[in-house]
Amino acid sequence: MTDVGGGFGIGIGVGVGVRPYAELTFDSEGDVDRVTQGAVSRMEATDLLVFAHGWNSDRSTATRLYDRFFAPFQELVGSGVRLGYVGVVWPAMRFSDEPIPDFDPPGALAEPGSASALDPLTRRALGEFWPERRAELDRVAELLEEQPDSAAAFIEFGALVRELAGVDAVPAAVAPAVPAIFTDDVLEVCRALSVALVRAGAPGAADPAGPDGPGLTVGGGLRGLWGGAKELLRQATYYKMKKRAGVVGERGLGPVLAQLAAARPALRFHLIGHSFGARVVSFSLRAVPDRARYVKSVTLLQGAFSHYAFADRLPHDKGDGGALRGLQRRVDGPVVACHSAHDSALRVFYPLASRMAGDSAGLLGFDERWGAIGHDGVQAVPGAPRLSLDTVLREGLPESGCVSVDTGSVVRRGGAPSGAHSDICHEELARVVVTAGRMGR
């Protein structure tokens, strides 16, 4: 195995109350831990719930998420259904200043200090996420703590973040695939991110466009942009995890499930993913053989990938389709995209992180080309219905194809900067999974 940063390793599911439960562990290259694979393969079940966590997770957080989310299921399924519970564990990164509803009180994990400074838990997690970059991370932490009122300091910070994100090594021929957030003028980027923090309701964030906010003139007070600089660092981890999530899904989870299905053809799989974990389970569909019918449902909770992913044709480029175009047809059941307008991580920050090359002024605007499936559901897939959560719980779901479900009635709590992005432990969402998988009483 390669890199299992973020404190992830082999686990036996200590602290998860449902049974049978096992964790399926992958490294950053998608290589599975064979011990965990063996534990899953021995499960006695008719239906496996396979859940992949998202970006803001360490090992402890992932285990608590699985414990909370899986808890209602046994009381919801029919008598002929024997559930097995699988928690997918992949190397992610937790910023401890992003409290998770019902897990952390707001601000409980971060120690007092400047808004831009890295708290000790986050600094340690960054060291595990980038174990070969400790010198660069020490300097990044120093700059965020000191907040120099200097354009040169921001230029240095931007260069360090580009190194961490790995975009300096991208060949010029594929440079347009690097988000402009890493290539444009660093002061303008930090200003755009500072504005985004204000829009997301981050405490203490100063609007650079407002009368009390910092400007962009050298000597005119740049210290207020360091909150945006910290967000740029956060986006660098997201950028790395976005690519990693696709790799883990396509090269790791997908082939493992295909092997298990070949050995046990009667086993039914129900895939669940939160945030970048939704990307993990969706990209695993690339490894499903044509005409295979073992994936019975896919439920995406606040999915952090393009709302055009399943489209055969993009509205802004009719000659191209989404990264997952047509893969919903490899699911013997519906692909359900749960979305909420209260998710500021996807409403505000995802478009910034996803925008490709363009002029820097565009960073301040919203272009629906860069929207997330967890913000406004599936787009540009003809015939894909859009339903409310109440309608789904009362009337059910289509038997196949993509469907968008507005879960904003329950997914609505959470502090800045992510909003309700992690507010997913609700029985109503468990019932959506049961309905999608046709497992109900």
Side-chain angles (χ1 to χ4, degrees):
M1 298 174 70
T2 312
D3 164 28
V4 293
F8 291 93
I10 299 172
I12 58 174
V14 175
V16 176
V18 295
R19 292 290 183 271
Y21 173 82
E23 288 175 351
L24 194 55
T25 303
F26 297 91
D27 70 11
S28 60
E29 302 300 321
D31 293 329
V32 67
D33 179 87
R34 298 299 179 185
V35 173
T36 64
Q37 183 181 11
V40 172
S41 69
R42 292 188 294 272
M43 277 188 167
E44 293 296 328
T46 61
D47 295 73
L48 286 189
L49 300 178
V50 183
F51 192 171
H53 63 78
W55 71 51
N56 189 33
S57 294
D58 55 19
R59 176 58 181 279
S60 172
T61 304
T63 299
R64 285 188 291 164
L65 169 64
Y66 297 146
D67 180 50
R68 289 288 302 279
F69 191 83
F70 284 146
F73 276 87
Q74 194 55 56
E75 300 302 318
L76 300 176
V77 299
S79 58
V81 175
R82 287 183 296 147
L83 292 178
Y85 303 88
V86 178
V88 176
V89 177
W90 61 284
M93 159 71 211
R94 180 155 194 215
F95 275 78
S96 65
D97 61 353
E98 292 188 29
I100 299 174
D102 298 327
F103 285 19
D104 311 310
L109 296 178
E111 294 187 356
S114 69
S116 69
L118 296 177
D119 64 273
L121 290 177
T122 298
R123 174 63 185 85
R124 183 166 63 249
L126 285 167
E128 294 171 344
F129 190 71
W130 282 303
E132 306 301 321
R133 295 288 190 173
R134 299 196 181 263
E136 291 90 339
L137 287 169
D138 285 343
R139 180 57 179 157
V140 161
E142 184 179 4
L143 288 168
L144 289 173
E145 178 71 33
E146 295 179 355
Q147 302 182 41
D149 192 6
S150 159
F154 279 93
I155 292 170
E156 179 187 3
F157 184 88
L160 289 167
V161 170
R162 284 194 299 273
E163 288 184 33
L164 293 171
V167 299
D168 279 349
V170 174
V174 296
V178 177
I181 203 168
F182 298 121
T183 60
D184 284 349
D185 177 82
V186 67
L187 287 173
E188 183 64 29
V189 169
C190 290
R191 176 179 180 271
L193 291 172
S194 296
V195 170
L197 286 167
V198 171
R199 291 176 179 171
D207 187 348
D212 300 323
L216 290 179
T217 305
V218 175
L222 300 177
R223 189 164 280 119
L225 297 183
W226 283 104
K230 182 180 181 181
E231 186 58 36
L232 178 59
L233 174 64
R234 198 189 314 260
Q235 295 298 332
T237 69
Y238 296 170
Y239 178 69
K240 295 286 285 188
M241 280 187 283
K242 178 181 179 180
K243 296 190 292 183
R244 180 177 293 179
V247 168
V248 170
E250 183 174 0
R251 301 180 189 174
L253 179 62
V256 166
L257 296 182
Q259 291 172 25
L260 185 53
R264 298 176 60 183
L267 196 57
R268 295 158 42 96
F269 296 84
H270 307 277
L271 309 186
I272 311 161
H274 170 236
S275 184
F276 278 154
R279 184 177 176 90
V280 171
V281 299
S282 296
F283 273 73
S284 77
L285 297 177
R286 287 182 170 179
V288 175
D290 290 336
R291 295 182 294 277
R293 312 304 289 168
Y294 56 85
V295 178
K296 299 300 182 179
S297 68
V298 177
T299 305
L300 310 174
L301 305 173
Q302 301 311 115
F305 61 94
S306 173
H307 55 195
Y308 294 137
F310 293 99
D312 288 330
R313 291 180 177 82
L314 301 176
H316 52 280
D317 185 356
K318 298 297 185 181
D320 199 5
L324 302 171
R325 54 186 172 275
L327 290 188
Q328 66 269 28
R329 292 187 278 274
R330 298 189 183 183
V331 180
D332 187 25
V335 174
V336 184
C338 297
H339 60 94
S340 170
H342 303 291
D343 185 336
S344 54
L346 299 183
R347 174 175 54 86
V348 178
F349 294 102
Y350 180 87
L352 292 179
S354 298
R355 187 179 299 275
M356 301 302 184
D359 60 34
S360 59
L363 285 168
L364 292 172
F366 177 78
D367 186 325
E368 65 182 17
R369 284 181 295 171
W370 315 124
I373 200 169
H375 171 247
D376 57 4
V378 176
Q379 302 291 323
V381 175
R386 306 183 67 82
L387 306 174
S388 71
L389 179 59
D390 286 345
T391 298
V392 170
L393 298 181
R394 185 176 62 252
E395 301 177 10
L397 285 161
E399 292 186 359
S400 62
C402 292
V403 55
S404 301
V405 178
D406 185 346
T407 58
S409 59
V410 295
V411 180
R412 56 188 306 113
R413 298 176 304 142
S418 294
H421 185 67
S422 295
D423 184 23
I424 61 168
C425 290
H426 298 281
E427 181 178 318
E428 293 89 342
L429 300 185
R431 291 171 63 191
V432 170
V433 175
V434 170
T435 302
R438 292 155 284 178
M439 296 179 286
R441 295 180 181 276

